[in-house]
Every structure is written in structure tokens, then in C-alpha cells.
Amino acid sequence: MHTQSKTGKKMKVIAFAIQKGGQGKTKIALHGGFWGLEVGKRVVFLDLDPQNARAKLNNESLVDTQQTAAIGNLSGTLLDLAKLNGYEIPADGATASWLFEAEDQRKPVFFEENGALIQVDSQLASLNFDVNTFPEKMAIARAKFDALANDFDVCIIDTGPGNLYPLIVALGLSDHVIAPCTMDDNAIAGLDSLTANVLEVRKASGMNFDLAPLGILPNKINRARSRHMQSLNALRKTSAWKNHVLPVELFDRGAIEESSTRPVWRTQRGETSSSAAATEMVKACMYIYKMVGLGD
Ligand SMILES: Nc1ncnc2c1ncn2[C@@H]1O[C@H](COP(=O)(O)OP(=O)(O)OP(=O)(O)O)[C@@H](O)[C@H]1O
Ligand SMILES: [Mg+2]
């Protein structure tokens, strides 16, 4: 069990990352944060995936269409939740590029009493770091996290494909990385690229950040498909990643696909759901929380 966090404080940072798209990062990141709220933790979500950021072309450069920036998948869901909960979204709330500007004092936006969001903005898609500026940006981001750790117990980071730097920042800042992975050879190969790219940037920039331990969470498994079951078995028993695969998994469930502002373990009436999707998701979340030292 890891009791020490990178910020040196109580807050644990869990990033959801894998370079291949569509593996379940956003969906499981949301559930991971919802679980923290469920068990009484203070949770801040950081959306570092600009792929759905809404921007328009203006004199050849991309600009945000709204002052408070763009709506990504995770950001959009949590902003919807804020609306449902009757929380106003301040125009001066923090957006993801806050992370890299030392002077930027904006604050996370609350969508419920214990849950807050740093939403994505389209500037993130065009971050122009290089190996020389990266250490400085990383130091700024670290200081921002030290401050967040005074107010929150858990930070959930959602990452996306595309610009590698936000992903590497996420990996450098987090205490644990969860890589949801479907039973697809390309996705599994993407785990190699993820690690190789992080190591490359670390070496080129001369930075000495610790890599967070990686936990692979098999996702979207269809029990009726023998290839899925064979791939799962190979991933756990014989693959190069076998020691990183979590002993929990998620099956392909319509209820997970359809869940949005409400986690699968809550019914529309707010009661606890006893569906298979709910049971599996709770088990995975409980495992992850225990692993990162946030379990009871
Ligand atoms: N266990 C599951 N069962 C059924 N559907 C799932 C499951 N996990 C994820 N999904 C669905 O799969 C799709 C991709 O998931 P998600 O958007 O979370 O992936 P992602 O890794 O964040 O993708 P991207 O890299 O594009 O950001 C979504 O429609 C999501 O609802
Ligand atoms: Mg996503």
C-alpha cells in the first residue's frame, strides 16, 4: 500500500491514461471520482483531454468559443451535473491551462459540496512545450498540486490521446496511473508506447520525476467472446504486463455506456443498484481506493 503521495500531503492523485482512444479512461475516471464522493472524500477532477474542446478558427489560430473554455467529455458531464445540482458555474473558474501558468490564481469549480472540476480548454491542444521548457512547466504544475492538496483528498485526472505533454505531466504528477484496456491487441501495444514515451521525455528533459505505478484495468470484456477471454487470460498470465494487471475487471455493460451524470451504482431514484454493472464497478473502485491508500 502506498501511503505517501507526491505532494507529501494526504491528497492522492490518480490519472487515467492509455494512448489508444476509446478504452474507457473518461468513463472510469468519472466513476473513480464519483466513488470518492460516495465514501465522503473531497474530490477534484482535472480534465486534460482537449479532444472534444470546442474552438473555432480565428485568424489561423484556435480560440475558445466561451470564456470559460470548452466542453470536453468529462468536463461536459460534470458541468451538466453542476446544473442538475443547482450550482452556478463562475466565469472565472480554473481551466486546464491554469496548471502551467504560475500567476494564474483561478480556482476549481464546484459541482457539488465535495466535488470540483478543472475543466479542459482548447489551449491544451496546442501546448508548445519542448524538452527545455518542460521542467519549468512541470515545476509550476507541481506547485499547483501542492496547493490543491490542502483542499482535496483525491484528484482524478482524465487524459486523452494527441498532445503528449499533458499526458506526461499527468503521469509525472500522479501517484497512480490506471490504464483501462480493452481486449484489443492494439490497445495492449499502446501500453508499450505510453511507457516508452514517458521514459523518452524524462531522459531528454533530464527530469527525474518518479513514474507512478501503473495498474491495468481490463475493460469492456464480453464473456461470450472466446477471444476476449483468451486475451484477458494472456494479459494476466503470460504478457510482459502481467504484474501490472489489476485483479478486478469490467465487462461490456450497457448500463456503463449509458451512465452519465449518475454512477452505475445509483438508480434513477437514488437507491443503490444491485446490477452486475454496479457490482463490478464498485468492486473495481474499492480495489483502486484501497491500493492507493484511500480505503477504509
Ligand atoms: N465497461 C464498459 N461497458 C460498456 N461501455 C463502456 C465500458 N467502458 C467504456 N464504455 C464506453 O466506451 C466508449 C469509450 O469510453 P471512454 O470515452 O471512456 O474512452 P476513452 O478511453 O476516454 O476514449 P478517448 O481516448 O477517446 O478519450 C464510451 O462510449 C463509453 O461509454
Ligand atoms: Mg476520454
Side-chain angles (χ1 to χ4, degrees), residues 130-185:
D130 57 40
V131 290
N132 299 315
T133 54
F134 188 53
E136 183 200 328
K137 293 292 183 188
M138 191 76 166
I140 295 171
R142 252 186 223 294
K144 293 287 175 78
F145 265 65
D146 284 350
L148 277 185
N150 293 327
D151 297 329
F152 297 97
D153 307 307
V154 192
C155 175
I156 299 282
I157 307 181
D158 187 25
T159 67
N163 190 333
L164 203 60
Y165 281 106
L167 178 60
I168 293 169
V169 169
L171 300 192
L173 291 172
S174 57
D175 297 304
H176 286 267
V177 179
I178 305 295
C181 186
T182 62
M183 296 302 101
D184 164 340
D185 291 345

Side-chain angles (χ1 to χ4, degrees), residues 21-27 51 219-220 251-253 257:
Q23 301 300 299
K25 294 180 286 289
T26 301
K27 191 56 99 177
Q51 70 176 318
N219 187 27
K220 279 208 219 179
F251 292 88
D252 190 343
R253 302 283 184 198
E257 172 115 50

Side-chain angles (χ1 to χ4, degrees), residues 177-234:
V177 179
I178 305 295
C181 186
T182 62
M183 296 302 101
D184 164 340
D185 291 345
N186 289 329
I188 295 166
L191 289 166
D192 285 313
S193 320
L194 178 67
T195 320
N197 285 331
V198 174
L199 291 175
E200 182 64 31
V201 170
R202 188 169 66 168
K203 192 166 147 225
S205 63
M207 291 183 66
N208 189 21
F209 58 80
D210 288 337
L211 283 189
L214 174 74
I216 298 167
L217 177 56
N219 187 27
K220 279 208 219 179
I221 302 161
N222 183 339
R223 251 191 251 266
R225 292 176 63 179
S226 60
R227 192 188 56 74
H228 279 202
M229 299 317 283
Q230 279 162 13
S231 295
L232 178 61
N233 197 40

